[in-house]
Amino acid sequence: WLSLYACFCYWNKHRSYEWSCRLVTLVHGVIVTCLSGYVALLDGPWPLTHAGSPNTSLQIHVLSLTLGYFIFDLGWCLYFQTEGDLMLFHHMLSICGMIMVLGLGKSATEVNAVVFVSEITNPLLQTRWFLREMGCYHTFLGEVVDFFFVFLFLVLRIGGGALIMCAMVTSPDPSWLLKAGGLAMYIVSLGFMVEICHFARRKMLKK
């Protein structure tokens, strides 16, 4: 991911460093959403019934790929000081959770599902930022991106995330520390939801 960022910086010398970083985030979001979605929905095992099951080789590859990205992005955010405490806490929780799962050799099933419901909105979030930078945000396309971002966040990250957390907490197999981390991650998602609801309310009031 750092190499890809360096390439984007070289190819986009007239753009800001954040532009290149968000391109990396967009690429990661698309790739990992597809891979984690395939693992969670098709390859299995099903996260709502097999929480705490042994890691599969594909799950290990997906989590390793995502772990590398989060380490890169956390370093970037700390260096440029672009994010608030909530986002930094989210990144640190994600890194610790993935390291723990890879080390224990189990529970990648539910963590991969969390990655899927979390990352599926990321490409839309980055697209929104690029539209704003290019002066195309206040268009029909910008409205469509905003709608699907809020919709997918509430349905999958909040609704789907709640189901995954319930399965994780009630299963006897996952580590208690991982359960605590999962609950903390869901609380962070609720914090993001509050911010998104404030954004949606302001937008509706303006209209």
Side-chain angles (χ1 to χ4, degrees), residues 37-178:
Y38 172 78
V39 171
L41 303 175
L42 298 176
D43 190 63
W46 184 241
L48 299 183
T49 56
H50 290 76
S53 58
N55 301 347
T56 67
S57 58
L58 186 55
Q59 288 171 347
I60 292 171
H61 286 304
V62 174
L63 291 186
S64 298
L65 189 68
T66 304
L67 175 60
Y69 164 76
F70 272 102
I71 292 173
F72 156 76
D73 198 52
L74 178 62
W76 193 93
C77 292
L78 289 173
Y79 182 80
F80 288 97
Q81 299 181 355
T82 56
E83 300 294 341
D85 293 338
L86 188 62
M87 181 63 76
L88 296 177
F89 184 56
H90 166 269
H91 275 37
M92 287 187 286
L93 272 178
S94 300
I95 290 170
C96 292
M98 284 183 278
I99 290 175
M100 183 184 301
V101 166
L102 292 172
L104 291 173
K106 65 176 185 178
S107 291
T109 299
E110 59 268 32
V111 173
N112 175 83
V114 170
V115 169
F116 171 66
V117 298
S118 299
E119 289 299 315
I120 195 170
T121 56
N122 212 337
L124 292 170
L125 182 62
Q126 306 313 315
T127 300
R128 179 176 179 271
W129 187 89
F130 285 117
L131 289 174
R132 187 182 293 277
E133 286 294 299
M134 294 184 292
C136 302
Y137 175 65
H138 298 289
T139 61
F140 176 72
L141 179 58
E143 297 290 333
V144 171
V145 169
D146 276 349
F147 171 79
F148 279 106
F149 170 74
V150 174
F151 176 77
L152 290 175
F153 189 98
L154 294 177
V155 172
L156 291 181
R157 187 157 184 171
I158 301 302
L163 295 176
I164 297 168
M165 285 304 103
C166 287
M168 191 175 175
V169 170
T170 56
S171 174
D173 296 321
S175 164
W176 67 269
L177 191 57
L178 192 63

Side-chain angles (χ1 to χ4, degrees), residues 1 22-38 65 69 116 119-124 126-127:
W1 299 113
R22 286 186 180 268
L23 280 177
V24 174
T25 302
L26 178 61
V27 171
H28 167 265
V30 172
I31 293 174
V32 169
T33 295
C34 294
L35 290 176
S36 61
Y38 172 78
L65 189 68
Y69 164 76
F116 171 66
E119 289 299 315
I120 195 170
T121 56
N122 212 337
L124 292 170
Q126 306 313 315
T127 300

